[in-house]
């Protein structure tokens, strides 16, 4: 049952957030402090341009859920939080809706509670053109997200095993879709080779979706009965590594997600070249452990604190962070050395 799987994902993702050690590759990225660099806080704007659209903030709620009664309620609360704070948000995969249109309301709520917000509809890379159109119509979506999750699928006993048609289908979807198309990983990272291919296919934004946060190999391993796939939990590239690998590729927007824990991680991702940053697990944990008000409060606090970081660094906008004076150490420095990145 897809509905049970959706509920399982939420439960395991929240448990993993609660058990998180706090250690991350983002800690290998440090801003050099320049004591005279600061500017006036009132001169800072958090506005960014993403896929040709103006966003008030470089922060969005990334794809999570829908398809069951419980996850429909989570979507309602996420949409209220997005509406109150003015940040964009994405639906979870709409495969459950394609199989059973009676769950439409569990996704549609994202638009009902957030009538003027930037909403993205999320589909898998095998979705048909009719399915893509109906997903966009249902949410009156401003953009489409296509997720790439081969590692997750192979750990799921009931998962997909057919990934060969993805590139051709992405090209067809991009050619047929009027709104901007984002392509995202779900926590194993996009490589330079993949992002370059996505740019050639006409994709507007690549969301690197790197390792370091929600780990779908671990979630599916926890759900699996028999057959330990534990060896695959460390698969992929971390989010800072992906950004160092890809963010200078011209002609495609770059979003960063996967393991963003704080406003400082947002600033680090922006300085490494992301145009915007997505958060899933950390926001879900706040919502499930507390309530919508707590999530609204958290997002507001993060945005205020991000503004203060930009003030100290002398960045008038998030885009000004690109080229900031950074120290790269530890595993991230090793990755750069092995990949030949200066
Ligand atoms: C996700 N994610 C996800 N991504 C996607 O493209 N389609 C989906 O349906 C889902 N479902 C989903 C459920 C739950 C419960 C979580 C926590 C996450 C992945 C998500 O968008 C993101 O790429 C990863 O979670 C990494 O970001 P965080 O969680 O480390 O901030």
């Amino acid at each position: 049952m897809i509905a049970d799987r959706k509920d399982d994902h939420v439960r395991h993702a929240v448990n993993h957030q609660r058990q998180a050690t706090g250690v991350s590759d983002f800690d290998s990225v440090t801003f050099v402090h320049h004591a005279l660099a600061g500017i006036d806080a009132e001169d800072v704007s958090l506005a960014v341009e993403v896929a040709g659209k103006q966003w008030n903030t470089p922060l969005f709620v990334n794809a999570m859920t829908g398809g069951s009664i419980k996850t429909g309620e989570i979507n309602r609360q996420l949409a209220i939080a997005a509406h109150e704070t003015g940040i964009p948000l994405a639906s979870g995969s709409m495969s459950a809706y394609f199989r059973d249109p009676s769950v439409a309301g569990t996704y549609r709520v994202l638009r009902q509670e957030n009538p003027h917000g930037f909403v993205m509809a999320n589909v898998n890379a095998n979705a048909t053109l009719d399915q893509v159109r109906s997903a966009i119509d249902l949410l009156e979506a401003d953009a489409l997200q296509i997720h790439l999750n081969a590692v997750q699928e192979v750990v799921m006993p009931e998962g997909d095993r057919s990934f060969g048609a993805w590139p051709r289908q992405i090209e067809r979807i991009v050619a047929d879709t009027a709104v901007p198309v984002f392509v995202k990983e779900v926590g194993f990272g996009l490589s330079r080779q993949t992002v370059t291919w996505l740019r050639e296919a006409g994709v507007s934004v690549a969301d690197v979706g790197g390792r370091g946060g929600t780990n779908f190999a671990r979630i599916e391993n926890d759900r699996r009965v028999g057959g330990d796939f534990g060896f695959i939990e460390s698969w992929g590239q971390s989010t800072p590594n992906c950004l160092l690998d890809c963010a200078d590729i011209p002609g495609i927007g770059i979003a960063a997600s996967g393991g963003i824990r704080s406003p400082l991680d947002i600033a680090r991702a922006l300085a490494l070249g992301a145009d915007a940053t997505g958060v899933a697990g950390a926001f879900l944990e706040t919502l499930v452990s507390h309530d919508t008000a707590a999530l609204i409060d958290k997002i507001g606090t993060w945005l205020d604190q991000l503004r203060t970081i930009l003030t100290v660094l002398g960045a008038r906008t998030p885009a000004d962070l690109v080229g900031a004076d950074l120290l790269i150490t530890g595993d991230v420095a090793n990755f750069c050395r092995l990949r030949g990145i200066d």
Side-chain angles (χ1 to χ4, degrees), residues 23-67:
V23 178
S24 160
D25 267 3
F26 274 113
D27 298 322
S28 298
V29 180
T30 308
F31 287 100
V32 175
H33 176 59
H34 296 297
L36 284 174
I39 55 173
D40 297 353
E42 65 190 35
D43 291 338
V44 172
S45 158
L46 293 183
V48 289
E49 194 183 306
V50 179
K53 302 272 166 70
Q54 182 91 359
W55 287 5
N56 294 332
T57 73
L59 175 64
F60 63 98
V61 180
N62 219 344
M64 281 187 268
T65 205

Side-chain angles (χ1 to χ4, degrees), residues 9 13 62-64 92-93 122 147 184-186 213-214 216 258-259 280-281 284:
H9 286 166
N62 219 344
M64 281 187 268
S93 169
N122 184 286
H147 64 260
K184 70 185 287 286
E185 241 292 347
V186 301
T214 301
F216 265 96
L284 181 68

Side-chain angles (χ1 to χ4, degrees), residues 145-186:
Q145 273 190 338
I146 302 174
H147 64 260
L148 306 181
N149 67 336
V151 179
Q152 176 189 7
E153 295 288 345
V154 295
V155 184
M156 279 163 55
E158 75 276 28
D160 203 351
R161 297 291 184 270
S162 302
F163 312 117
W166 279 5
R168 177 78 190 106
Q169 193 55 15
I170 290 171
E171 286 173 342
R172 295 182 72 215
I173 293 172
V174 169
D176 190 68
T177 302
V179 295
V181 176
F182 290 50
V183 173
K184 70 185 287 286
E185 241 292 347
V186 301

